[in-house]
Amino acid sequence: ISIMNNIDNRDYFRLSDKIDAQYKLISPDQVSSEKADQHFADAAELSVFKELYALDMENQEILRELDSQNHLLGKFLANISQRVDLISQKVILNDYWDANALSPNIIDISEGGASFKDHQYLADGTQLALRLIFTEAMLGIFCYAQVRNCQKEEDSEAYRTGVEFIGLNPMDRKIVARHILRQQSEARRHQLHSQPDISPMKTSKEP
């Protein structure tokens, strides 16, 4: 059984999706001595969105409690939270998301690793600093990863590279898990809406 299959079996939530990514080659010494975000110039800006996300998670329970006691106040604060989300999304889309960029896009992600297509071959064992942008959640995370598999695609100049995350912290793991659950939920809704109506047709009785 391949290493990537072991990763697949270990991770119970997995879903193919498009996430903007950027990576930088690093040495093993840097993994133990430096934080992953130190390799990216925009780390400070993206960290603000993660802090907002952490605050939002803390506020959800407070908003539910307030709504049960004072519906108007709860709705007012929820609207403010939504406005902040919309502003964050606008900044992310303008400054960090480029649909035509040549950077690799994540095509498969789990709490344990990810895979992406790129035109550069990466040998097994190569260590990377990763920056992942989740535009729907308006979040960016930084982490280290190690290449576990890199294969050239048929009829293409691109390589499909599988990586395993190294020491993903609890908050980033939660971001990945919530992203996958949200995508799975949307996929199920789409599947239900696309199913044809097979309920039996009612026939009218002859008078």
Side-chain angles (χ1 to χ4, degrees):
I1 301 176
S2 69
I3 294 175
M4 284 307 296
N5 283 338
N6 287 335
I7 296 173
D8 294 347
N9 292 333
R10 187 179 66 233
D11 300 320
Y12 49 91
F13 287 135
R14 199 169 187 90
L15 188 72
S16 293
D17 188 44
K18 186 177 181 182
I19 302 168
D20 190 54
Q22 183 182 4
Y23 69 83
K24 294 187 178 181
L25 304 179
I26 51 128
S27 67
D29 292 340
Q30 290 175 294
V31 175
S32 57
S33 63
E34 301 174 1
K35 293 182 178 180
D37 60 4
Q38 292 180 235
H39 302 279
F40 300 91
D42 55 9
E45 291 87 346
L46 288 173
S47 293
V48 173
F49 296 107
K50 190 186 295 186
E51 291 175 11
L52 288 173
Y53 174 78
L55 288 172
D56 185 61
M57 291 184 66
E58 293 179 9
N59 290 338
Q60 289 304 312
E61 186 62 34
I62 299 174
L63 284 173
R64 282 191 290 268
E65 185 68 22
L66 278 173
D67 190 59
S68 65
Q69 298 177 12
N70 188 324
H71 179 67
L72 287 177
L73 177 59
K75 185 176 182 180
F76 172 73
L77 294 176
N79 286 341
I80 292 177
S81 178
Q82 186 175 13
R83 289 181 65 185
V84 173
D85 287 346
L86 290 173
I87 293 171
S88 301
Q89 186 178 45
K90 179 68 173 178
V91 174
I92 281 279
L93 291 175
N94 284 349
D95 294 348
Y96 299 105
W97 179 260
D98 182 359
N100 298 314
L102 297 177
S103 59
N105 287 298
I106 298 295
I107 56 175
D108 197 58
I109 190 168
S110 76
E111 292 181 54
S115 62
F116 56 84
K117 289 184 181 180
D118 194 26
H119 290 281
Q120 181 176 355
Y121 172 78
L122 299 173
D124 291 3
T126 300
Q127 296 191 342
L128 313 170
L130 282 177
R131 185 195 77 167
L132 306 179
I133 302 293
F134 299 81
T135 53
E136 287 189 18
M138 299 154 285
L139 290 170
I141 69 173
F142 302 90
C143 64
Y144 287 119
Q146 184 167 337
V147 176
R148 293 302 192 186
N149 184 277
C150 187
Q151 296 180 341
K152 195 171 187 300
E153 297 218 315
E154 295 183 6
D155 303 323
S156 172
E157 295 300 319
Y159 293 89
R160 178 169 179 146
T161 303
V163 300
E164 182 178 11
F165 297 140
I166 300 174
L168 196 65
N169 67 54
M171 174 57 72
D172 290 343
R173 184 178 293 273
K174 186 175 294 186
I175 290 172
V176 173
R178 286 170 66 94
H179 168 80
I180 295 170
L181 289 173
R182 183 172 59 251
Q183 294 296 324
Q184 287 177 326
S185 178
E186 291 180 2
R188 283 194 294 269
R189 284 197 298 268
H190 177 75
Q191 184 178 15
L192 288 174
H193 291 160
S194 62
Q195 288 179 347
D197 185 4
I198 57 174
S199 58
M201 297 180 60
K202 294 182 179 180
T203 57
S204 58
K205 295 182 179 180
E206 294 291 337

